[in-house]
Amino acid sequence: MRTWKKVLLALLAAIAAIVGFFVWKVGPRNAYGLARYGTQRQEGDLAVGQPAPGVSLVALDGRTRVDLARWIGVKPLVLVFGSYT
């Protein structure tokens, strides 16, 4: 009976070490993102010259949805994905 406990404890320690190494290697934020959104990823089929798909984003107030298609051709549209901090 004690042998099973030692084997189980060693197995759990090995799993914890593997998970810890993975989180250390990719970073905690990336590990959380992969765990949360990893199954939602889809390969795209866009080609050069095709129009971009419709996208709606949340405005800075956190509630209002902004459909980017309504801005195409009206004003120059620049999307900046980054941080200024």
Side-chain angles (χ1 to χ4, degrees), residues 8-45:
L8 182 62
L9 185 60
L11 183 62
L12 290 175
I15 291 172
I18 291 170
V19 169
F21 178 75
F22 174 75
V23 170
W24 172 74
K25 196 69 173 164
V26 301
R29 293 181 119 188
N30 290 337
Y32 175 72
L34 286 172
R36 186 170 179 199
Y37 300 112
T39 60
Q40 296 178 7
R41 182 177 170 269
Q42 297 176 357
E43 288 292 328
D45 57 353

Side-chain angles (χ1 to χ4, degrees), residues 27-70:
R29 293 181 119 188
N30 290 337
Y32 175 72
L34 286 172
R36 186 170 179 199
Y37 300 112
T39 60
Q40 296 178 7
R41 182 177 170 269
Q42 297 176 357
E43 288 292 328
D45 57 353
L46 289 177
V48 175
Q50 287 182 328
V55 175
S56 70
L57 303 172
V58 178
L60 293 175
D61 64 7
R63 292 184 214 119
T64 309
R65 304 286 300 176
V66 177
D67 185 23
L68 295 182
R70 72 182 188 142

